[in-house]
Amino acid sequence: MSPGPITIVGAGLAGLTLGRCLKQYGIAAVVLERVTSSPRYNYGITLHPWAFQPLLKVLQMDEVLFREKLAIDSMRQGKGEVSEDALAPALNTDLGTFRCHRGRLEKLLQEGQDIRWEHTVQNVTSSSQGIVVQLKDEKALDADILIGTDGVHSQIRKSLAPEIELKVLPFVVFNGKRQFTRSEYQEMFESKLGARTVVHERHGDIVLEISINEYTPKHVD
């Protein structure tokens, strides 16, 4: 009897990337995700070449097109530029690092995948007979291979390895968002940022980051 598809829990970047890699090798996978399919991540992330260049082969896409689709400032023909001289000391970047729109990246990775939205995992049990994934609606799925990519609050980890405790790093992050009209942005920021999409200012142990999430015809986030 041939094994069924690999079950991946979590349709974030890790789960979606894994699903696409398996698909490239003809290995079937099902991705379970607790939320709806509505877009949820409208912000920029920093991608380094060592992270995204191996993905280009999986996506069958060249780097120029990849950047055109995903750079947070692609609407103004930008390339998501990250300038090292604008970053705090010790936060080095590799040549080719750029700011990518996470929501658009996830949408690209979702293409061609079997994603089961609104499938919340409540518990997982494992025996010699296999793995049973218990869902919130009282349904259960059998899995030959189960991979948890469901983040720091992983239900897979809690079910199968409850003795593992996460280590909390000694940092505090405050995150605020603001939307400006294009004219407001041009008046207050454009002359200082130029083509850059992120800048840092360091004072002692505190790093202030100002980064662009997205450009649209009417506003800048």
Side-chain angles (χ1 to χ4, degrees), residues 187-194 196 199:
E187 181 181 346
M188 291 187 284
F189 295 101
E190 196 161 58
S191 64
K192 300 175 179 63
L193 286 175
R196 296 174 298 191
V199 292

Side-chain angles (χ1 to χ4, degrees), residues 30-212:
V30 173
V31 184
L32 307 180
E33 173 55 54
R34 62 183 178 83
V35 302
T36 68
S37 59
S38 300
R40 50 186 170 151
Y41 294 121
N42 184 37
Y43 60 79
I45 59 175
T46 300
L47 285 187
H48 299 277
W50 53 262
F52 72 79
Q53 286 178 349
L55 190 58
L56 299 178
K57 182 178 179 181
V58 176
L59 296 173
Q60 298 182 336
M61 182 180 295
D62 64 49
E63 185 171 335
V64 173
L65 181 58
F66 184 77
R67 288 172 178 269
E68 286 178 355
K69 281 180 170 289
L70 302 180
I72 56 101
D73 54 349
S74 59
M75 184 163 288
R76 65 167 188 174
Q77 287 74 53
K79 299 178 181 179
E81 182 178 322
V82 176
S83 176
E84 190 168 339
D85 62 4
L87 303 182
L91 296 177
N92 297 325
T93 62
D94 301 311
L95 183 65
T97 296
F98 80 108
R99 294 284 291 174
C100 163
H101 189 278
R102 175 169 176 170
R104 278 185 263 150
L105 175 57
E106 288 199 354
K107 186 176 180 180
L108 179 64
L109 291 170
Q110 289 168 12
E111 294 177 3
Q113 297 209 58
D114 183 359
I115 304 173
R116 313 285 175 86
W117 302 101
E118 299 182 76
H119 279 55
T120 301
V121 175
Q122 284 197 317
N123 191 38
V124 178
T125 56
S126 177
S127 69
S128 59
Q129 304 300 315
I131 302 168
V132 177
V133 181
Q134 189 69 43
L135 301 176
K136 188 175 182 180
D137 59 5
E138 299 184 355
K139 292 181 180 179
L141 299 175
D142 294 326
D144 294 306
I145 299 176
L146 177 69
I147 302 175
T149 60
D150 46 341
V152 295
H153 302 294
S154 171
Q155 189 59 48
I156 308 304
R157 185 186 66 253
K158 292 176 183 177
S159 297
L160 299 180
E163 72 282 0
I164 295 179
E165 295 184 6
L166 298 182
K167 293 183 179 180
V168 180
L169 295 175
F171 301 101
V172 177
V173 178
F174 297 94
N175 180 33
K177 297 180 180 179
R178 179 76 184 271
Q179 187 176 97
F180 297 92
T181 65
R182 291 295 293 270
S183 59
E184 288 174 334
Y185 174 78
Q186 289 168 356
E187 181 181 346
M188 291 187 284
F189 295 101
E190 196 161 58
S191 64
K192 300 175 179 63
L193 286 175
R196 296 174 298 191
T197 58
V198 57
V199 292
H200 289 162
E201 182 71 31
R202 185 164 194 160
H203 295 277
D205 292 333
I206 299 173
V207 176
L208 170 67
E209 175 181 294
I210 298 177
S211 58
I212 306 301

